[in-house]
Amino acid sequence: MTTKQSATITVDGGYAPAEIVLKQGIPAELTFTRVNDAGCLDQVHSPALGFNRDLPLNQPQTVTIDTSQAGEFSFSCGMDMFSGKVVVQP
């Protein structure tokens, strides 16, 4: 039985991968690492998932997300120009 899910997202002119698939009901963490200082990608936020985090260059930032509800939840940069999504599957 899996006790925790985790995903690593590289922030470099966008998000890679841009789609994260998780299982419902298993605690999850997303770790964002910004490797490029260009553009507005120095923040990541998701009102739907309840986080807003600054992304210092080359410093991994981990957020814990709630996976109790199935669905698709977006995240984006501070200016909402670049986005990705978390898909929580039942």
Side-chain angles (χ1 to χ4, degrees), residues 34-57:
R34 183 167 66 104
V35 298
N36 185 325
D37 66 356
C40 58
L41 290 159
D42 58 346
Q43 283 190 331
V44 63
H45 70 110
S46 174
L49 293 171
F51 68 83
N52 185 0
R53 189 65 56 97
D54 288 332
L55 299 178
L57 193 60

Side-chain angles (χ1 to χ4, degrees), residues 19-33:
E19 181 175 314
I20 309 299
V21 179
L22 301 169
K23 295 298 275 182
Q24 184 178 1
I26 300 172
E29 291 180 344
L30 303 180
T31 300
F32 294 87
T33 303

Side-chain angles (χ1 to χ4, degrees), residues 5-87:
Q5 304 174 89
S6 62
T8 300
I9 300 150
T10 300
V11 182
D12 184 7
Y15 299 104
E19 181 175 314
I20 309 299
V21 179
L22 301 169
K23 295 298 275 182
Q24 184 178 1
I26 300 172
E29 291 180 344
L30 303 180
T31 300
F32 294 87
T33 303
R34 183 167 66 104
V35 298
N36 185 325
D37 66 356
C40 58
L41 290 159
D42 58 346
Q43 283 190 331
V44 63
H45 70 110
S46 174
L49 293 171
F51 68 83
N52 185 0
R53 189 65 56 97
D54 288 332
L55 299 178
L57 193 60
N58 297 316
Q59 294 181 34
Q61 298 293 310
T62 300
V63 295
T64 301
I65 61 168
D66 179 9
T67 60
S68 62
Q69 299 290 321
E72 292 188 4
F73 307 95
S74 64
F75 58 86
S76 62
C77 67
M79 294 177 66
D80 295 324
M81 293 175 63
F82 299 95
S83 64
K85 67 179 174 181
V86 174
V87 179

